[in-house]
Structure formats: C-alpha cells, structure tokens
Amino acid sequence: MEATAESALLPLPEEFLDFLRENGLDPSIYSATESVPRYIRVKPGNEACLQELEAEIKSKPLKVEWLPEFYSLPNDVQIANTSLYKQGQIYGIDAASGAAVSALNISAGDHVLDLCAAPGAKLCMILDFLGDSGSVTGVDVSQHRLAACRTLVQKYALGNRCRLFVADGTTFSLVPAKHHDCIDKHHAGESTCEEKVDVFGEWTARRPWKERKRAARQRKLGSAMIGSVQPPEIIFYGQNSGVVGLSKDELYQSVQNSDVSDFGYDKVLVDAECTHDGSVRHIQKFEQWGWETLQQRVMNAERTDSLTLLQLKLLTNGFRLLKVGGSLVYSTCSLTVAQNEDIVERFLQENASAVLQEVDAAKSWPCRCGRIPKTLRFDPSTSQTSGLFVAKFTKLAL
C-alpha cells in the first residue's frame, strides 16, 4: 500500500517541496486525485433531475451532507456534454468554493458585490440565493473572462437582477443601482425621467454601432495610458438590476467614503487572484506544461509580491464599498500563508473598523482553522475538496 501511494506522487521539484514545507503543507495532497471527487451544484428545485443525470453518466450522484444542493461524482466524470449541464440545470463548482459563497449568509433583498466575478460559478450561486430580490454587481478586470461570465448568467437565466462591469477591482467605486422614483424627484423640484439624457433602456447584445465604437476607443486609450485608471464598462444588466431608466451620470456616480454606510453593499465577495497552488488539478498540469513554469507562475518572488499587493488592494477596496454591519468574505485557492493569513493580518492592522467573524455554518464543514482564529482552510486531505482559504469580516461604525 505504501509503495502504491509513493508511486502515485507527482515528481515535484525540490524547490516546490521546500515551498510546501514552509507553508506546513503535506506534499501528498498533490498525489493522484482519486480521493477528491468532482462536485456539482443542482439548480434550486431541480433535484429530481438527478435520476436523469445518473442514467446518463452511469454513476449515482452522492449528496454532500454539509452543503445544500451540492453532490459529488467520481473525479473522472465529465459533465460538460451531459444534457442537464447544457440545459442549465446543474453547475460545475467545487464544494469549497460553494462554502465561500455560503459563508456570506446572503439574505433576501441584499445588494451583493462580487469583486472578482469571472468565470461566474460563484456569481450564479449568489444569484440563486437572492431569487427575486436584491441585486448582484459582478466586476472583473478581464473583458473576455467577464464575457464568459455573462454567457453563464444568461445560460442559467439568472440575469434579471445582475449587472456586470469590466473594471479594476482595486479602484471600482460604484454603488448598488437603486430604482429611482421619478415622481418623487419631480415633486422635490428635481429633473424628471423625460429630462434625462443618455438613459439606459432594456439591455440588448446588439449595442448601437456608435456605442461599441466609443467603448472600443476608451479601452484602446486606457491600455495606452500605463498606470491610468480606466472607467468601468458595463457589458450586461438585467431588467430589474436597477440600471434601466438611469442616466449614465447616475449609473457611473462613484461612492464617497462618507456615503458608504448608506449606499454601500450588504455583502461583498473578494475571491482574489492568486497562485492557484491549492488547486491540485492545476498543479498536476505542470507535469505536462513543464515544472520550470511552476517556478515562474507559483514560486517566483516578484510575482508573489505583486499578487499579495493586489490581494490587499482588492480586499481593502471591497471593504470600503461595504455598508456598516455588512459582511465580506475574502478567499483564495492558494494554501500559502503569504496570500492568506498575512493578508488578513495586515488588513486588520490598517482597518480599525474591520472585525473577523465566525462562519457559523463551518461548525459542520470538513475544514480546519487557519493560523488566525476564525479563518478557515479547505484542502484535499482534510476536506476532500480543492484547497481554499476563507476569512469573513464585518464592518463596525466608528
């Protein structure tokens, strides 16, 4: 048995083994992934479809007892070609990622910000939680990745209360869209809807040629100006996302720090860009890509320093946009202390109104405590999931 386990281990470079030891990680988590199943989430109310899925994949989905609507499958099962996936009745998402969304404890009517939204599985889960109330604002710096996120939202018919912005999450500063009562404004002596210019109508994929040209010109200009802050670009909004009927000036009105307590978001998710070393399947790919690229992408000190600075900025800006009393979840799929506990510690030192919160549901989750109390760590050996770090904060009134 020991020989079999040893032979299943990847030929990890010595530098990476040192990296794992420094972070208290067992190299065996990067062995063959037979122990980590593939996870799916069933669209709420569609559990009856699982019999059809079982017949199609010739395997019974097993209920994940600690996470509602999640099921596990053998790790070699592919769902992309199943009829239920194509019909938008099941999602492919790791259970640890689902736990990060669940930690937000989303309530009806919440206005939620997903600051690093692409590729969209977590965003869809947030939208399913909200149902016919509240709103979700998805932000991502990558236009093509956010376009894929838009496709996902439309596939699962979840776009009604969603709006998506291509923007830098470290500087994004737009408040949740609110429905404007034009009659009250008129009685207050303010402009009526008829007097607005450049008002957003119902969203259509076929934007006017002039608008497409203007957006392309802005992107080109922004990319040419190194270090410049590009304005957000909205690439999708639903009928009840609060955008329809707004003028562009109203939509793109930035929030001032003094106004956040009234106009900020109820919940914020910051699933930050990271080295992805907690994803076993991702690390295994380096066996084909070449281990030298692992050094460049995961262990390169310059890249890591750049990432940790980005992570702190994302967390700081996400927290700035959070209402007093709201909740923010910070997560990464890295297992390193530098991208997790160190970020949390520095953030708390710099933000007196930030307090770590217990994740109540985690009492039944198969995870362990991080190096800082109240933080959580998922990993293949402990959780039978991909690796993930989770920290939850609330904002106090000072």
Side-chain angles (χ1 to χ4, degrees):
M1 183 68 70
E2 291 180 2
T4 302
E6 186 66 30
S7 63
L9 289 173
L10 290 175
L12 299 173
E14 190 60 37
E15 295 85 351
F16 188 60
L17 291 173
D18 290 340
F19 164 84
L20 297 178
R21 295 186 194 104
E22 289 171 6
N23 286 278
L25 303 175
D26 185 348
S28 67
I29 66 173
Y30 295 98
S31 62
T33 57
E34 279 75 11
S35 61
V36 180
R38 183 175 299 278
Y39 291 95
I40 61 169
R41 182 172 71 86
V42 179
K43 199 167 179 63
N46 282 14
E47 284 78 4
C49 75
L50 291 172
Q51 290 184 344
E52 180 182 340
L53 179 64
E54 180 179 351
E56 191 168 358
I57 65 175
K58 305 295 190 293
S59 181
K60 183 179 178 60
L62 300 178
K63 186 176 180 62
V64 177
E65 297 297 338
W66 55 276
L67 199 59
E69 298 165 356
F70 274 73
Y71 292 80
S72 65
L73 304 172
N75 59 71
D76 60 344
V77 169
Q78 302 295 322
I79 66 168
N81 292 322
T82 63
S83 57
L84 292 178
Y85 181 77
K86 292 177 180 179
Q87 294 164 12
Q89 296 187 58
I90 61 173
Y91 304 81
I93 177 174
D94 192 81
S97 296
V101 176
S102 294
L104 280 171
N105 197 25
I106 292 169
S107 302
D110 278 346
H111 293 283
V112 185
L113 172 62
D114 187 349
L115 202 55
C116 307
K122 297 184 188 72
L123 182 84
C124 287
M125 187 171 174
I126 293 170
L127 286 162
D128 272 331
F129 277 154
L130 283 177
D132 295 326
S133 66
S135 70
V136 179
T137 298
V139 176
D140 205 275
V141 72
S142 169
Q143 185 186 24
H144 76 274
R145 280 170 54 82
L146 197 65
C149 187
R150 176 180 61 196
T151 300
L152 203 64
V153 166
Q154 292 175 299
K155 169 186 173 180
Y156 289 99
L158 290 170
N160 187 38
R161 295 182 174 274
C162 178
R163 56 184 192 156
L164 300 175
F165 291 94
V166 177
D168 183 346
T170 67
T171 57
F172 183 77
S173 196
L174 304 185
V175 298
K178 307 288 186 182
H179 292 287
H180 291 249
D181 192 328
C182 298
I183 297 177
D184 285 348
K185 280 189 171 185
H186 178 66
H187 289 319
E190 299 182 29
S191 61
T192 64
C193 286
E194 286 73 24
E195 294 171 323
K196 292 182 184 179
V197 294
D198 238 355
V199 172
F200 286 92
E202 185 175 349
W203 185 84
T204 172
R206 297 182 62 83
R207 293 187 297 169
W209 177 81
K210 287 184 178 179
E211 186 176 331
R212 297 200 308 270
K213 186 176 181 180
R214 182 169 61 246
R217 186 166 58 245
Q218 287 177 342
R219 287 195 299 271
K220 185 176 181 180
L221 180 64
S223 62
M225 298 173 62
I226 299 174
S228 65
V229 177
Q230 298 184 48
E233 177 190 354
I234 192 164
I235 67 164
F236 177 81
Y237 58 89
Q239 187 67 30
N240 291 304
S241 64
V243 175
V244 175
L246 294 183
S247 69
K248 291 193 174 181
D249 286 344
E250 288 172 330
L251 177 64
Y252 290 111
Q253 182 178 7
S254 295
V255 64
Q256 302 299 317
N257 289 349
S258 58
D259 294 331
V260 169
S261 60
D262 295 323
F263 301 111
Y265 294 86
D266 301 291
K267 306 286 167 63
V268 176
L269 175 64
V270 181
D271 185 44
E273 173 63 20
C274 67
T275 51
H276 305 288
D277 55 88
S279 172
V280 176
R281 289 186 176 90
H282 181 77
I283 293 298
Q284 286 182 321
K285 291 177 182 177
F286 286 101
E287 192 171 21
Q288 284 76 45
W289 295 343
W291 290 114
E292 65 279 0
T293 60
L294 178 70
Q295 174 69 33
Q296 298 166 10
R297 298 190 191 186
V298 177
M299 294 154 41
N300 180 277
E302 185 175 339
R303 170 169 161 74
T304 301
D305 289 346
S306 175
L307 271 177
T308 54
L309 179 61
L310 172 64
Q311 290 157 350
L312 183 61
K313 286 182 175 180
L314 287 167
L315 175 55
T316 300
N317 193 46
F319 189 77
R320 182 180 72 86
L321 295 170
L322 183 69
K323 290 173 67 172
V324 169
S327 296
L328 178 149
V329 166
Y330 171 77
S331 63
T332 80
C333 60
S334 171
L335 295 174
T336 68
V337 173
Q339 297 176 70
N340 297 315
E341 286 91 345
D342 286 355
I343 296 294
V344 169
E345 191 170 58
R346 183 172 171 185
F347 171 74
L348 289 172
Q349 290 171 351
E350 296 176 359
N351 293 271
S353 61
V355 177
L356 276 169
Q357 277 188 305
E358 293 274 7
V359 178
D360 293 334
K363 295 171 184 176
S364 63
W365 291 352
C367 57
R368 57 189 176 87
C369 183
R371 295 192 182 187
I372 296 177
K374 300 180 183 178
T375 63
L376 307 172
R377 281 178 169 268
F378 292 81
D379 66 71
S381 58
T382 303
S383 317
Q384 301 278 286
T385 66
S386 191
L388 197 80
F389 173 85
V390 177
K392 182 177 182 179
F393 303 87
T394 190
K395 179 183 280 189
L396 303 178
L398 295 180

